[in-house]
Amino acid sequence: MDKRKIGTLAAVAALAFAACSGSSGGGGGGSKGEIEIWSSLPRQGSSKAQSDTIVNAINLAIEEKKGVAGGYTVKYSDKDDSTAAAGKWDEATEIKNANDAVADDKLVAYIGTFNSGAAKLSIPILCGKGIPMVSPANTYPGLTKAGKGEADEPDKYYPNGCTRNYFRVVAADDLQGLAGAKWAAKLGAKNVYVLDDTELYGKGIADVFNKEAPGAGLTVLGRDGIDGKATDYKALAEKIKATNPDLVYFGGITQNNAGQLWRDLRDAMPSVKLMGPDGILEQEWIDAAGEAAEGTYITFGGLPADKLTGKGADFVKNYNAKYPNNPPEAYTAYGYEAAGTVLAAIEKAAAANPADTLALRAGVLKAIAETKDYDGALGKWSFNQEGDTSLTAMSGNIVKGGKFQFDSVIE
């Protein structure tokens, strides 16, 4: 708070300040005042279970710092970029979140988004105000890498010469798509059919798989985009069946009717191998696909929580103790890492004694960009000049008994 008066008003102000500190998940009180961190994630629909664990992990990271970073009290706000009607992230809602963020002078960092399509909308809005954005889950390559997406990417996300403000702690799909193609070949597939849900993430990773398939020894028999709101995909399944594939690859997310797609593919081709990326690496997809999910191969741009070691294992232990009824999902540790990166940057930026929170924000952006040899839950890693992590480990998972089971690390 900026001003305190004596007597009763001082007591009321002190109580209000303490309440704000408490809402951040920790006590201790920052002598330099209050700053804010927001996350923007889908808090409704089938991604909710996944984002619940990410929010839990962010709260845990802040609590471990007793709600204070660099002498500032940290207030965390959990923003929703989804709608009940859509059942997933929504363009207008994400844009509103980003515009609300730039209007808040106390905001020093934005953790998000979950979906790459949402990120492309908010990055340029936040960039104009120098707000650093750290994603625990975006994997579309074009957000950061030239030549890995559309011709004008990623420059169009940083308009008017604004300093790059976007970073991600998860590996991009140019690596995961390649890993998928190599794994498909290792599984004995020769002829593959490629599908996607036509969204930025899904089409992007399917494009990579499609491009890398020949080099892995695979022949692509066909390529289609699906309507994520279709009643069924029986005709498509019969079309694919006629090409006699060994494996069908789908790039997309659960929320675009991936469960129904799986049921129809499995009905038409009971013995075909099915593979997808981490966009369907969530229990809600298994529930939607039912028995058709069994035996599915799924790639992930990292390692599952129970395979983390060192500080990662400590995080999982502490997380499970704090949230015993809400176990980690694919991106939980990445939410914790994103928050940890932001908190470390606040500490570094605060050491320069910035004049106000806007100066602190600028320092946080600089500190995040300079992150080197960060020793966190995911191991020791750095951001490169594009905002991408140096971590490249990929993992393969198989659905067995209605659950995801780790299979192997994919080199």
Side-chain angles (χ1 to χ4, degrees):
M1 300 177 69
D2 296 327
K3 296 180 181 180
R4 297 187 180 185
K5 298 182 179 180
I6 60 173
T8 303
L9 290 179
V12 172
L15 287 171
F17 186 83
C20 290
S21 299
S23 69
S24 70
S31 61
K32 295 182 179 179
E34 182 181 275
I35 57 175
E36 297 179 19
I37 295 172
W38 290 11
S39 64
S40 184
L41 305 164
R43 309 297 286 122
Q44 302 176 78
S46 55
S47 288
K48 183 179 185 302
Q50 182 86 253
S51 62
D52 279 348
T53 70
I54 295 174
V55 169
N56 289 344
I58 295 170
N59 272 314
L60 180 60
I62 295 172
E63 287 177 11
E64 289 175 347
K65 296 290 186 181
K66 301 187 184 303
V68 177
Y72 295 90
T73 297
V74 177
K75 180 181 179 182
Y76 167 49
S77 293
D78 166 18
K79 304 295 183 180
D80 185 2
D81 71 357
S82 65
T83 65
K88 62 177 184 176
W89 77 275
D90 173 73
E91 289 191 10
T93 307
E94 177 56 36
I95 290 171
K96 181 180 185 303
N97 286 352
N99 281 322
D100 287 347
V102 302
D104 186 345
D105 287 346
K106 287 188 175 182
L107 182 68
V108 298
Y110 192 91
I111 299 175
T113 56
F114 187 76
N115 300 93
S116 295
K120 77 171 189 176
L121 302 174
S122 50
I123 293 171
I125 296 173
L126 300 176
C127 189
K129 289 291 186 177
I131 298 175
M133 178 175 173
V134 183
S135 173
N138 297 157
T139 54
Y140 174 63
L143 296 174
T144 57
K145 301 182 180 187
K148 298 292 185 178
E150 300 298 325
D152 56 355
E153 291 176 333
D155 289 346
K156 70 177 181 179
Y157 302 123
Y158 310 101
N160 303 316
C162 64
T163 301
R164 279 204 184 205
N165 65 319
Y166 177 77
F167 311 86
R168 51 182 161 197
V169 296
V170 63
D173 288 335
D174 55 322
L175 301 178
Q176 189 181 171
L178 172 60
K182 287 188 173 183
W183 195 23
K186 187 176 180 180
L187 292 170
K190 298 294 184 183
N191 300 304
V192 301
Y193 204 102
V194 182
L195 300 173
D196 68 73
D197 65 358
T198 73
E199 281 197 9
L200 189 70
Y201 160 78
K203 183 179 183 301
I205 196 166
D207 283 346
V208 176
F209 182 95
N210 193 70
K211 178 182 177 182
E212 300 292 349
L218 304 173
T219 298
V220 178
L221 302 173
R223 172 74 186 273
D224 282 300
I226 71 164
D227 176 359
K229 296 181 180 179
T231 302
D232 65 65
Y233 304 96
K234 293 178 180 178
L236 175 62
E238 289 298 325
K239 173 186 174 181
I240 296 171
K241 179 181 178 180
T243 69
N244 195 30
D246 303 311
L247 181 145
V248 178
Y249 181 87
F250 171 69
I253 60 175
T254 302
Q255 295 72 32
N256 284 329
N257 217 5
Q260 182 64 50
L261 174 66
W262 245 251
R263 290 196 299 271
D264 291 337
L265 290 174
R266 190 64 79 193
D267 282 347
M269 300 169 285
S271 61
V272 75
K273 293 181 176 67
L274 299 177
M275 180 181 286
D278 48 18
I280 59 172
L281 187 59
E282 51 192 12
Q283 187 62 42
E284 286 69 20
W285 170 76
I286 292 181
D287 294 342
E291 292 184 2
E294 284 295 305
T296 297
Y297 302 93
I298 299 181
T299 56
F300 175 55
L303 296 176
D306 61 358
K307 298 301 176 183
L308 297 175
T309 60
K311 291 184 177 180
D314 291 340
F315 158 70
V316 173
K317 178 181 177 181
N318 294 336
Y319 178 93
N320 285 331
K322 178 76 175 177
Y323 305 104
N325 298 318
N326 202 351
E329 295 214 21
Y331 287 105
T332 313
Y334 293 80
Y336 180 79
E337 201 81 334
T341 304
V342 167
L343 293 169
I346 293 171
E347 294 279 358
K348 183 176 180 181
N353 295 316
D356 52 31
T357 53
L358 294 181
L360 175 67
R361 177 193 292 173
V364 171
L365 174 56
K366 183 174 185 293
I368 293 174
E370 294 174 348
T371 297
K372 292 288 184 283
D373 296 325
Y374 181 82
D375 191 9
L378 304 179
K380 186 172 286 189
W381 58 271
S382 305
F383 280 132
N384 64 17
Q385 63 182 9
E386 296 173 321
D388 283 306
T389 175
S390 59
L391 294 173
T392 58
M394 298 281 153
S395 59
N397 304 270
I398 304 176
V399 179
K400 295 181 179 179
K403 299 293 181 182
F404 298 108
Q405 292 190 18
F406 171 79
D407 180 72
S408 60
V409 173
I410 306 172
E411 298 295 340

